[in-house]
Structure formats: structure tokens, C-alpha cells
Amino acid sequence: MFIFKVMKGKENLIGSIFAKYGFEIKPVSEKGFLACSERPLPELIKKFEGYIQEIIEVNEEEGERLLKNEKKDNLSNLREGSAIEVISGIYEGFSGVARRVNDGRVLVDLNLFGKAVSVEVSASDVRVLPSDPWS
């Protein structure tokens, strides 16, 4: 199985184009990645080199793990007071605390460059950080 690292936000475009060429493309649980059971022709990859950043070959077991939607399982743990990390969008890479969770949206207190800022993000754009057993 091959995992394509593609430009974020272009997953659907790349997937539909490769499907037209007869490749079965599946979305991966992480944004910016697609899975394909076979390696596309180098000519096809070259056509889209601006959109495809890397191709990684993985074994079937690893590929199946990546195809599972782990985000949804992770979001079942999302509650008010959960420590979270923003994994996509303009606040990607920042960590904070979920203050309110409602209808797929999360109000989060983030530390942005030394200032506490409340922002609302999509629940699919966050991951719950593991709780610290020592606290």
C-alpha cells in the first residue's frame, strides 16, 4: 500500500483525478494524506508533483491502521476541560484546553504567543491529548 502526502485541502482533487486513471484512492484519517493499493506511474506522479509532496510505501497492516478513522474514536474522549492540540487549520500546532463542546464545534483556550485567546474550531481539527497520570 502507498500513502501519498498531498497538499492539505487538495485530497479530494487528487483522489478524483487518480480515480479517473483507474486507481482506487482512499482517504486516510489524517488530513493531507491519501492511500492507494498500487503505485501510480511516474508520469502521472510527475504531472501532479506540486500537489503530491511524498509517497510512502507501507505494509498492509500499517495501511489498514491508517485507514481507520481514529479521529472519531479520539473525539469520543473530547469533553470540556480536555487538553487538546489543534491538528489542522490556522491554529495548527497550538495546544490548549477545550472550554465548550457543542455540535461539532469546540471553544478552545489557546496560548498564542504568550496571550490566552479563546477561539472556536471544528472538532475534527483537534485531537485530545493523553492525560498525564502524574497530575
Side-chain angles (χ1 to χ4, degrees), residues 4-25:
F4 298 170
K5 181 177 180 187
V6 300
M7 187 182 295
K8 284 188 181 175
K10 302 297 182 187
E11 301 90 348
N12 290 339
L13 172 69
I14 297 298
S16 65
I17 291 170
F18 275 76
K20 287 180 184 178
Y21 283 92
F23 293 95
E24 184 182 351
I25 300 291

PDB file of all heavy atoms in Angstrom, residues 4-25:
ATOM      1  N   PHE A   4       0.110   8.731   0.068  1.00  0.00           N
ATOM      2  CA  PHE A   4       0.517   9.980  -0.577  1.00  0.00           C
ATOM      3  C   PHE A   4       0.369  11.110   0.418  1.00  0.00           C
ATOM      4  O   PHE A   4      -0.698  11.287   0.998  1.00  0.00           O
ATOM      5  CB  PHE A   4      -0.383  10.337  -1.762  1.00  0.00           C
ATOM      6  CG  PHE A   4      -0.397   9.363  -2.886  1.00  0.00           C
ATOM      7  CD1 PHE A   4      -1.315   9.497  -3.898  1.00  0.00           C
ATOM      8  CD2 PHE A   4       0.502   8.319  -2.972  1.00  0.00           C
ATOM      9  CE1 PHE A   4      -1.351   8.621  -4.966  1.00  0.00           C
ATOM     10  CE2 PHE A   4       0.487   7.432  -4.025  1.00  0.00           C
ATOM     11  CZ  PHE A   4      -0.448   7.580  -5.026  1.00  0.00           C
ATOM     12  N   LYS A   5       1.423  11.867   0.590  1.00  0.00           N
ATOM     13  CA  LYS A   5       1.318  13.112   1.344  1.00  0.00           C
ATOM     14  C   LYS A   5       1.034  14.185   0.308  1.00  0.00           C
ATOM     15  O   LYS A   5       1.831  14.411  -0.593  1.00  0.00           O
ATOM     16  CB  LYS A   5       2.610  13.418   2.095  1.00  0.00           C
ATOM     17  CG  LYS A   5       2.529  14.691   2.903  1.00  0.00           C
ATOM     18  CD  LYS A   5       3.800  14.923   3.681  1.00  0.00           C
ATOM     19  CE  LYS A   5       3.671  16.215   4.481  1.00  0.00           C
ATOM     20  NZ  LYS A   5       4.941  16.557   5.111  1.00  0.00           N
ATOM     21  N   VAL A   6      -0.153  14.782   0.412  1.00  0.00           N
ATOM     22  CA  VAL A   6      -0.571  15.771  -0.576  1.00  0.00           C
ATOM     23  C   VAL A   6      -0.786  17.119   0.098  1.00  0.00           C
ATOM     24  O   VAL A   6      -0.904  17.205   1.322  1.00  0.00           O
ATOM     25  CB  VAL A   6      -1.857  15.337  -1.318  1.00  0.00           C
ATOM     26  CG1 VAL A   6      -1.644  14.032  -2.052  1.00  0.00           C
ATOM     27  CG2 VAL A   6      -3.033  15.221  -0.373  1.00  0.00           C
ATOM     28  N   MET A   7      -0.835  18.143  -0.716  1.00  0.00           N
ATOM     29  CA  MET A   7      -1.078  19.477  -0.208  1.00  0.00           C
ATOM     30  C   MET A   7      -2.432  19.475   0.516  1.00  0.00           C
ATOM     31  O   MET A   7      -3.428  18.985  -0.034  1.00  0.00           O
ATOM     32  CB  MET A   7      -1.100  20.461  -1.376  1.00  0.00           C
ATOM     33  CG  MET A   7      -1.170  21.904  -0.970  1.00  0.00           C
ATOM     34  SD  MET A   7      -1.245  22.992  -2.425  1.00  0.00           S
ATOM     35  CE  MET A   7       0.343  22.671  -3.153  1.00  0.00           C
ATOM     36  N   LYS A   8      -2.449  19.986   1.750  1.00  0.00           N
ATOM     37  CA  LYS A   8      -3.695  20.000   2.519  1.00  0.00           C
ATOM     38  C   LYS A   8      -4.777  20.764   1.774  1.00  0.00           C
ATOM     39  O   LYS A   8      -4.528  21.809   1.197  1.00  0.00           O
ATOM     40  CB  LYS A   8      -3.469  20.606   3.902  1.00  0.00           C
ATOM     41  CG  LYS A   8      -2.775  19.660   4.831  1.00  0.00           C
ATOM     42  CD  LYS A   8      -2.735  20.178   6.240  1.00  0.00           C
ATOM     43  CE  LYS A   8      -1.994  19.184   7.113  1.00  0.00           C
ATOM     44  NZ  LYS A   8      -1.828  19.675   8.449  1.00  0.00           N
ATOM     45  N   GLY A   9      -5.952  20.192   1.779  1.00  0.00           N
ATOM     46  CA  GLY A   9      -7.086  20.785   1.098  1.00  0.00           C
ATOM     47  C   GLY A   9      -7.232  20.309  -0.341  1.00  0.00           C
ATOM     48  O   GLY A   9      -8.213  20.624  -0.998  1.00  0.00           O
ATOM     49  N   LYS A  10      -6.265  19.548  -0.835  1.00  0.00           N
ATOM     50  CA  LYS A  10      -6.307  19.051  -2.215  1.00  0.00           C
ATOM     51  C   LYS A  10      -6.552  17.549  -2.268  1.00  0.00           C
ATOM     52  O   LYS A  10      -6.438  16.937  -3.321  1.00  0.00           O
ATOM     53  CB  LYS A  10      -4.998  19.382  -2.951  1.00  0.00           C
ATOM     54  CG  LYS A  10      -4.680  20.854  -3.002  1.00  0.00           C
ATOM     55  CD  LYS A  10      -5.738  21.612  -3.772  1.00  0.00           C
ATOM     56  CE  LYS A  10      -5.388  23.081  -3.863  1.00  0.00           C
ATOM     57  NZ  LYS A  10      -6.448  23.869  -4.450  1.00  0.00           N
ATOM     58  N   GLU A  11      -6.911  16.937  -1.141  1.00  0.00           N
ATOM     59  CA  GLU A  11      -7.128  15.499  -1.082  1.00  0.00           C
ATOM     60  C   GLU A  11      -8.218  15.047  -2.058  1.00  0.00           C
ATOM     61  O   GLU A  11      -8.036  14.071  -2.789  1.00  0.00           O
ATOM     62  CB  GLU A  11      -7.491  15.046   0.341  1.00  0.00           C
ATOM     63  CG  GLU A  11      -6.466  15.359   1.391  1.00  0.00           C
ATOM     64  CD  GLU A  11      -6.651  16.701   2.061  1.00  0.00           C
ATOM     65  OE1 GLU A  11      -7.448  17.529   1.591  1.00  0.00           O
ATOM     66  OE2 GLU A  11      -5.980  16.940   3.066  1.00  0.00           O
ATOM     67  N   ASN A  12      -9.358  15.754  -2.073  1.00  0.00           N
ATOM     68  CA  ASN A  12     -10.462  15.370  -2.951  1.00  0.00           C
ATOM     69  C   ASN A  12     -10.090  15.531  -4.414  1.00  0.00           C
ATOM     70  O   ASN A  12     -10.417  14.684  -5.247  1.00  0.00           O
ATOM     71  CB  ASN A  12     -11.725  16.177  -2.632  1.00  0.00           C
ATOM     72  CG  ASN A  12     -12.323  15.799  -1.304  1.00  0.00           C
ATOM     73  OD1 ASN A  12     -12.077  14.714  -0.786  1.00  0.00           O
ATOM     74  ND2 ASN A  12     -13.097  16.700  -0.737  1.00  0.00           N
ATOM     75  N   LEU A  13      -9.400  16.613  -4.746  1.00  0.00           N
ATOM     76  CA  LEU A  13      -8.979  16.858  -6.124  1.00  0.00           C
ATOM     77  C   LEU A  13      -8.050  15.742  -6.611  1.00  0.00           C
ATOM     78  O   LEU A  13      -8.305  15.128  -7.648  1.00  0.00           O
ATOM     79  CB  LEU A  13      -8.269  18.208  -6.232  1.00  0.00           C
ATOM     80  CG  LEU A  13      -7.607  18.505  -7.581  1.00  0.00           C
ATOM     81  CD1 LEU A  13      -8.663  18.702  -8.657  1.00  0.00           C
ATOM     82  CD2 LEU A  13      -6.708  19.722  -7.470  1.00  0.00           C
ATOM     83  N   ILE A  14      -7.012  15.449  -5.847  1.00  0.00           N
ATOM     84  CA  ILE A  14      -6.053  14.414  -6.236  1.00  0.00           C
ATOM     85  C   ILE A  14      -6.749  13.052  -6.292  1.00  0.00           C
ATOM     86  O   ILE A  14      -6.544  12.280  -7.224  1.00  0.00           O
ATOM     87  CB  ILE A  14      -4.854  14.374  -5.267  1.00  0.00           C
ATOM     88  CG1 ILE A  14      -4.091  15.704  -5.321  1.00  0.00           C
ATOM     89  CG2 ILE A  14      -3.930  13.209  -5.564  1.00  0.00           C
ATOM     90  CD1 ILE A  14      -3.486  16.031  -6.653  1.00  0.00           C
ATOM     91  N   GLY A  15      -7.572  12.752  -5.299  1.00  0.00           N
ATOM     92  CA  GLY A  15      -8.292  11.478  -5.275  1.00  0.00           C
ATOM     93  C   GLY A  15      -9.175  11.286  -6.493  1.00  0.00           C
ATOM     94  O   GLY A  15      -9.188  10.210  -7.098  1.00  0.00           O
ATOM     95  N   SER A  16      -9.901  12.329  -6.880  1.00  0.00           N
ATOM     96  CA  SER A  16     -10.794  12.200  -8.041  1.00  0.00           C
ATOM     97  C   SER A  16     -10.004  12.074  -9.341  1.00  0.00           C
ATOM     98  O   SER A  16     -10.398  11.323 -10.232  1.00  0.00           O
ATOM     99  CB  SER A  16     -11.772  13.372  -8.106  1.00  0.00           C
ATOM    100  OG  SER A  16     -11.088  14.588  -8.328  1.00  0.00           O
ATOM    101  N   ILE A  17      -8.896  12.768  -9.461  1.00  0.00           N
ATOM    102  CA  ILE A  17      -8.079  12.663 -10.675  1.00  0.00           C
ATOM    103  C   ILE A  17      -7.479  11.268 -10.803  1.00  0.00           C
ATOM    104  O   ILE A  17      -7.534  10.653 -11.869  1.00  0.00           O
ATOM    105  CB  ILE A  17      -6.979  13.748 -10.697  1.00  0.00           C
ATOM    106  CG1 ILE A  17      -7.626  15.126 -10.890  1.00  0.00           C
ATOM    107  CG2 ILE A  17      -5.958  13.470 -11.795  1.00  0.00           C
ATOM    108  CD1 ILE A  17      -6.695  16.290 -10.687  1.00  0.00           C
ATOM    109  N   PHE A  18      -6.929  10.748  -9.712  1.00  0.00           N
ATOM    110  CA  PHE A  18      -6.337   9.412  -9.763  1.00  0.00           C
ATOM    111  C   PHE A  18      -7.411   8.350 -10.008  1.00  0.00           C
ATOM    112  O   PHE A  18      -7.152   7.352 -10.669  1.00  0.00           O
ATOM    113  CB  PHE A  18      -5.535   9.117  -8.499  1.00  0.00           C
ATOM    114  CG  PHE A  18      -4.130   9.646  -8.569  1.00  0.00           C
ATOM    115  CD1 PHE A  18      -3.860  10.989  -8.400  1.00  0.00           C
ATOM    116  CD2 PHE A  18      -3.068   8.796  -8.827  1.00  0.00           C
ATOM    117  CE1 PHE A  18      -2.584  11.483  -8.488  1.00  0.00           C
ATOM    118  CE2 PHE A  18      -1.777   9.276  -8.914  1.00  0.00           C
ATOM    119  CZ  PHE A  18      -1.533  10.623  -8.747  1.00  0.00           C
ATOM    120  N   ALA A  19      -8.615   8.571  -9.484  1.00  0.00           N
ATOM    121  CA  ALA A  19      -9.714   7.621  -9.729  1.00  0.00           C
ATOM    122  C   ALA A  19     -10.058   7.576 -11.218  1.00  0.00           C
ATOM    123  O   ALA A  19     -10.355   6.508 -11.756  1.00  0.00           O
ATOM    124  CB  ALA A  19     -10.935   8.007  -8.901  1.00  0.00           C
ATOM    125  N   LYS A  20      -9.974   8.715 -11.903  1.00  0.00           N
ATOM    126  CA  LYS A  20     -10.234   8.754 -13.350  1.00  0.00           C
ATOM    127  C   LYS A  20      -9.209   7.926 -14.121  1.00  0.00           C
ATOM    128  O   LYS A  20      -9.499   7.430 -15.198  1.00  0.00           O
ATOM    129  CB  LYS A  20     -10.225  10.192 -13.851  1.00  0.00           C
ATOM    130  CG  LYS A  20     -11.446  10.971 -13.444  1.00  0.00           C
ATOM    131  CD  LYS A  20     -11.395  12.389 -13.959  1.00  0.00           C
ATOM    132  CE  LYS A  20     -12.598  13.168 -13.450  1.00  0.00           C
ATOM    133  NZ  LYS A  20     -12.561  14.563 -13.880  1.00  0.00           N
ATOM    134  N   TYR A  21      -8.017   7.782 -13.557  1.00  0.00           N
ATOM    135  CA  TYR A  21      -6.972   6.970 -14.185  1.00  0.00           C
ATOM    136  C   TYR A  21      -7.057   5.504 -13.749  1.00  0.00           C
ATOM    137  O   TYR A  21      -6.185   4.710 -14.056  1.00  0.00           O
ATOM    138  CB  TYR A  21      -5.584   7.531 -13.864  1.00  0.00           C
ATOM    139  CG  TYR A  21      -5.230   8.756 -14.674  1.00  0.00           C
ATOM    140  CD1 TYR A  21      -5.505  10.020 -14.187  1.00  0.00           C
ATOM    141  CD2 TYR A  21      -4.633   8.635 -15.918  1.00  0.00           C
ATOM    142  CE1 TYR A  21      -5.179  11.148 -14.920  1.00  0.00           C
ATOM    143  CE2 TYR A  21      -4.311   9.762 -16.662  1.00  0.00           C
ATOM    144  CZ  TYR A  21      -4.575  11.019 -16.155  1.00  0.00           C
ATOM    145  OH  TYR A  21      -4.254  12.124 -16.895  1.00  0.00           O
ATOM    146  N   GLY A  22      -8.092   5.151 -12.987  1.00  0.00           N
ATOM    147  CA  GLY A  22      -8.319   3.766 -12.607  1.00  0.00           C
ATOM    148  C   GLY A  22      -7.700   3.328 -11.294  1.00  0.00           C
ATOM    149  O   GLY A  22      -7.688   2.143 -10.979  1.00  0.00           O
ATOM    150  N   PHE A  23      -7.214   4.256 -10.488  1.00  0.00           N
ATOM    151  CA  PHE A  23      -6.622   3.908  -9.194  1.00  0.00           C
ATOM    152  C   PHE A  23      -7.670   4.047  -8.101  1.00  0.00           C
ATOM    153  O   PHE A  23      -8.467   4.983  -8.105  1.00  0.00           O
ATOM    154  CB  PHE A  23      -5.425   4.811  -8.876  1.00  0.00           C
ATOM    155  CG  PHE A  23      -4.268   4.603  -9.800  1.00  0.00           C
ATOM    156  CD1 PHE A  23      -4.091   5.408 -10.909  1.00  0.00           C
ATOM    157  CD2 PHE A  23      -3.367   3.578  -9.565  1.00  0.00           C
ATOM    158  CE1 PHE A  23      -3.027   5.211 -11.770  1.00  0.00           C
ATOM    159  CE2 PHE A  23      -2.296   3.377 -10.418  1.00  0.00           C
ATOM    160  CZ  PHE A  23      -2.133   4.189 -11.523  1.00  0.00           C
ATOM    161  N   GLU A  24      -7.651   3.097  -7.176  1.00  0.00           N
ATOM    162  CA  GLU A  24      -8.559   3.163  -6.036  1.00  0.00           C
ATOM    163  C   GLU A  24      -7.872   3.962  -4.937  1.00  0.00           C
ATOM    164  O   GLU A  24      -6.918   3.504  -4.316  1.00  0.00           O
ATOM    165  CB  GLU A  24      -8.902   1.762  -5.526  1.00  0.00           C
ATOM    166  CG  GLU A  24      -9.920   1.792  -4.420  1.00  0.00           C
ATOM    167  CD  GLU A  24     -10.239   0.412  -3.875  1.00  0.00           C
ATOM    168  OE1 GLU A  24      -9.806  -0.584  -4.458  1.00  0.00           O
ATOM    169  OE2 GLU A  24     -10.911   0.357  -2.836  1.00  0.00           O
ATOM    170  N   ILE A  25      -8.373   5.166  -4.706  1.00  0.00           N
ATOM    171  CA  ILE A  25      -7.797   6.076  -3.719  1.00  0.00           C
ATOM    172  C   ILE A  25      -8.732   6.136  -2.526  1.00  0.00           C
ATOM    173  O   ILE A  25      -9.945   6.279  -2.681  1.00  0.00           O
ATOM    174  CB  ILE A  25      -7.608   7.492  -4.313  1.00  0.00           C
ATOM    175  CG1 ILE A  25      -6.678   7.464  -5.510  1.00  0.00           C
ATOM    176  CG2 ILE A  25      -7.109   8.462  -3.251  1.00  0.00           C
ATOM    177  CD1 ILE A  25      -5.243   7.167  -5.200  1.00  0.00           C
TER     178      ILE A  25
END
